[in-house]
Amino acid sequence: MPRTPDALTAKGRATRARIVEGAAEVLREQGVASTTLDDIRARTGTSKSQLFHYFPDGKDELLLAVARFEADRVLQDQQPHLGRLDSWESWRRWRDVVVERYEAQGDHCPLGALFLQVGRSRPGARAIVTELMLQWQRELARGVRALQSNGLVSPSLDVDRTSAALLAGIQGGVAIMLSTGDSTHLRAALDEGIAHLRASGPAVSASPASSSGLAPFVDRLDPV
């Protein structure tokens, strides 16, 4: 029976978290297929009995814990910008952080490699992916609603559909980047998604000068 973090003492949770974080470091450096439990024990200073105390089902259980750790990092790496999508500047900063994260990651996806090892169809693995995507979409939807509250996008915009399309664009761009090493599609997906948001904003009303036919004259005035 897996020993869940909630069933542990505070000290036990800290130890388990240390093992998971250390395992994540080793797996990133060596790859999932090349990493053994002995490698993880050496990095984390953990005995065999201690490792199996926290992960009774062995390596697969530990890999699932690391997968959840890596999934959490996907969103943590986008903060604080992901949680502050209430202006066009904040969306630009978030976009840059996402691109930089995946460009730095290159053609190696720790999360994908972990799921390949433990089996993406396993209930635990599927739950991690589902939770990550739902949480990511909720954050994007919250950002779109913040733009609506600030009068920057149309109140009639379908928030859930828009946030779903943004997330799908990111995932598609990342998938292509992992295959080709080129971030062009990821950049395009983000840029077009944000451009779609901006295009839904309220139309700029004509100024008194332009409506009265004075715009050409006003345009020639020097700024004061």
Side-chain angles (χ1 to χ4, degrees), residues 52-131:
F52 279 92
H53 171 74
Y54 292 106
F55 305 97
D57 290 343
K59 187 175 181 179
D60 278 358
E61 184 183 349
L62 176 56
L63 291 179
L64 279 175
V66 175
R68 184 171 294 281
F69 173 81
E70 292 287 0
D72 290 342
R73 282 186 57 170
V74 171
L75 298 184
Q76 289 169 4
D77 288 350
Q78 299 175 47
Q79 300 295 355
H81 310 293
L82 183 60
R84 299 177 182 173
L85 297 176
D86 56 359
S87 69
W88 295 125
E89 176 62 20
S90 62
W91 277 83
R92 183 192 65 78
R93 291 176 179 173
W94 167 74
R95 175 264 189 207
D96 290 346
V97 165
V98 172
V99 171
E100 289 168 7
R101 180 194 192 277
Y102 284 105
E103 285 182 340
Q105 177 178 285
D107 60 1
H108 173 65
C109 177
L111 194 56
L114 286 161
F115 289 138
L116 184 63
Q117 179 72 18
V118 301
R120 192 182 297 271
S121 62
R122 281 188 56 175
R126 185 174 293 274
I128 291 171
V129 175
T130 301
E131 182 181 340

Side-chain angles (χ1 to χ4, degrees), residues 140-163:
L140 291 172
R142 187 178 295 114
V144 176
R145 290 191 179 94
L147 293 178
Q148 287 179 323
S149 297
N150 291 337
L152 296 174
V153 301
S154 170
S156 63
L157 186 70
D158 188 328
V159 174
D160 292 331
R161 186 176 178 83
T162 299
S163 58

